[in-house]
Amino acid sequence: MIPADFYRGRRLRSSLTMRELVRENAVTANDLIMPYFVAETDDESFMKEISSMPGQYQLSLKQLEKKVGEAVANGLKSCILFGIPAEKDEMGTQAYADAGIVQKAIRLLKDRWPELIVCADTCLCEYTSHGHCGIVQHDYVQNDPTLNLLAKTAVAQARAGADVVAPSDMMDGRVAAIRDALDEAGFINVPIMSYAVKYASAFYGPFREAAESAPQFGDRKTYQMDPPNAREAMREAVADLEEGADILMVKPGLPYLDIVRQVRDNFDTPVAVYQVSGEYSMIKAAALNGWIDEQAVIMESLVAFKRAGADLILTYFTEDVLKTLK
């Protein structure tokens, strides 16, 4: 005899319309931030596909404008810019030059689409000849001397019109240095989206090609977090909030959903997550081999971020997802 009181969960799964009616999490255009790599070049037609990230490109300013225009037409609300300068040096001077490539790109995008939220990655690794995120002395990345350069970079980005600055370097005290510099320069309303919990992850591999930022010696394990650590993530988040961070980011994404959930449960500030290059490339590779349904896996992975508690998602799939949502 069938008991009359067992749970009938299938009642709420009987049709697509019913499932949508009771759906707990959804991904919208408001959640997504598209990363773009903009290269300093006189060739307006420059559009170089990143071999390890099919469908992603290094773009000239002209091609960036074209790509962003197409994405805006499909509902793009936010993007984040990474720069590839024509010349690099030990101090990463093009990161904080008013005529630096990211500053030029910010001005271009804000002039064309004033309502588009333009975030700027605030770091030195794309601009230094050694590929590290700070000043190097005796083969060691110096923390405190780097803070002033990061602050100068944030101010240059804000002066160009950036809506959000996003320090990704993981130097201790950088959020406080940036907040002080922004306020002193009159940019009190420019928020800081801190890469508060950024792990020294193997999932960043393809990004090194995309941003041409591979370290010329050693690695970044002395300043990015050790992957086995979770409690440390809370200490990093607390420190950044106390220093003035407005948004906390966890990076990478899917391998660190437990950390996203911990940050969500412990803090009421907006939480961002970065679906990094390695995550993108694995999904792309599996899809190109016919092993998975690319669109279904993309959406499932993004919903996982929302379910874990993320408010914002930085993902290279943004342009594709916008087309799907539209």
Side-chain angles (χ1 to χ4, degrees):
M1 182 176 178
I2 300 176
D5 58 352
F6 63 85
Y7 172 63
R8 290 193 179 273
R10 293 182 60 183
R11 288 172 179 155
L12 300 181
R13 306 175 200 142
S14 58
S15 68
L16 175 60
T17 307
M18 180 64 73
R19 293 192 295 274
E20 290 177 340
L21 179 67
V22 298
R23 187 160 288 163
E24 298 174 22
N25 293 281
V27 176
T28 73
N30 295 324
D31 305 323
L32 304 174
I33 301 175
M34 177 66 194
Y36 289 105
F37 300 98
V38 56
E40 188 172 21
T41 174
D42 293 329
D43 181 1
E44 291 189 346
S45 65
F46 181 81
M47 185 174 175
K48 179 183 177 183
E49 187 169 28
I50 301 160
S51 63
S52 56
M53 298 178 68
Q56 300 301 309
Y57 301 85
Q58 294 179 349
L59 302 164
S60 68
L61 286 170
K62 189 68 174 178
Q63 296 305 314
L64 172 69
E65 182 179 15
K66 182 179 178 180
K67 288 280 285 182
V68 172
E70 293 170 353
V72 168
N74 287 322
L76 180 70
K77 307 290 186 181
S78 310
C79 66
I80 186 168
L81 300 175
F82 298 88
I84 304 163
E87 295 183 2
K88 303 186 180 190
D89 56 45
E90 290 187 356
M91 303 297 286
T93 55
Q94 288 303 301
Y96 41 90
D98 282 337
I101 184 58
V102 162
Q103 282 73 275
K104 290 180 180 178
I106 294 168
R107 293 186 183 99
L108 170 67
L109 297 185
K110 292 303 295 182
D111 181 61
R112 287 282 283 109
W113 300 282
E115 298 304 313
L116 179 68
I117 297 297
V118 178
C119 309
D121 179 73
T122 306
C123 195
L124 303 181
C125 65
E126 301 138 55
Y127 307 91
T128 55
S129 53
H130 47 70
H132 279 285
C133 301
I135 296 173
V136 172
Q137 295 176 0
H138 310 298
D139 288 342
Y140 186 78
V141 178
Q142 304 296 311
N143 192 94
D144 295 7
T146 298
L147 301 184
N148 181 54
L149 300 186
L150 294 169
K152 289 175 64 176
T153 301
V155 170
Q157 293 167 340
R159 187 181 298 119
D163 297 288
V164 179
V165 296
S168 60
D169 54 282
M170 289 299 285
M171 298 295 117
D172 297 336
R174 89 270 200 211
V175 173
I178 289 171
R179 184 72 272 160
D180 288 346
L182 288 172
D183 292 351
E184 185 176 347
F187 299 110
I188 60 173
N189 290 322
V190 173
I192 298 173
M193 177 168 65
S194 171
Y195 289 64
V197 184
K198 181 179 179 180
Y199 286 89
S201 172
F203 284 86
Y204 301 150
F207 179 91
R208 306 288 185 246
E209 176 194 352
E212 299 182 7
S213 62
Q216 298 302 300
F217 68 89
D219 52 43
R220 297 180 175 139
K221 293 181 179 180
T222 64
Y223 46 101
Q224 294 178 0
M225 286 179 55
D226 194 20
N229 293 358
R231 294 191 300 271
E232 182 185 1
M234 300 304 103
R235 298 197 297 273
E236 291 285 350
V238 167
D240 282 10
L241 281 176
E242 291 179 346
E243 291 177 21
D246 301 281
I247 302 170
L248 298 175
M249 188 194 301
V250 176
K251 182 181 181 183
L254 285 177
Y256 296 88
L257 289 178
D258 60 319
I259 306 300
V260 176
R261 171 46 58 187
Q262 287 187 49
V263 174
R264 173 75 290 147
D265 287 345
N266 282 278
F267 309 104
D268 59 7
T269 189
V271 175
V273 64
Y274 202 139
Q275 186 177 43
V276 300
S277 59
E279 299 173 69
Y280 173 90
S281 296
M282 288 193 300
I283 292 174
K284 275 291 186 181
L288 288 170
N289 278 285
W291 298 336
I292 60 172
D293 179 329
E294 180 175 351
Q295 181 176 323
V297 169
I298 291 170
M299 295 307 298
E300 189 172 337
S301 68
L302 298 186
V303 167
F305 296 134
K306 297 289 290 184
R307 194 175 61 246
D311 302 292
L312 307 172
I313 305 169
L314 291 79
T315 174
Y316 301 98
F317 289 117
T318 293
E319 291 180 341
D320 295 335
V321 174
L322 290 173
K323 294 174 185 176
T324 300
L325 295 176
K326 186 177 181 181

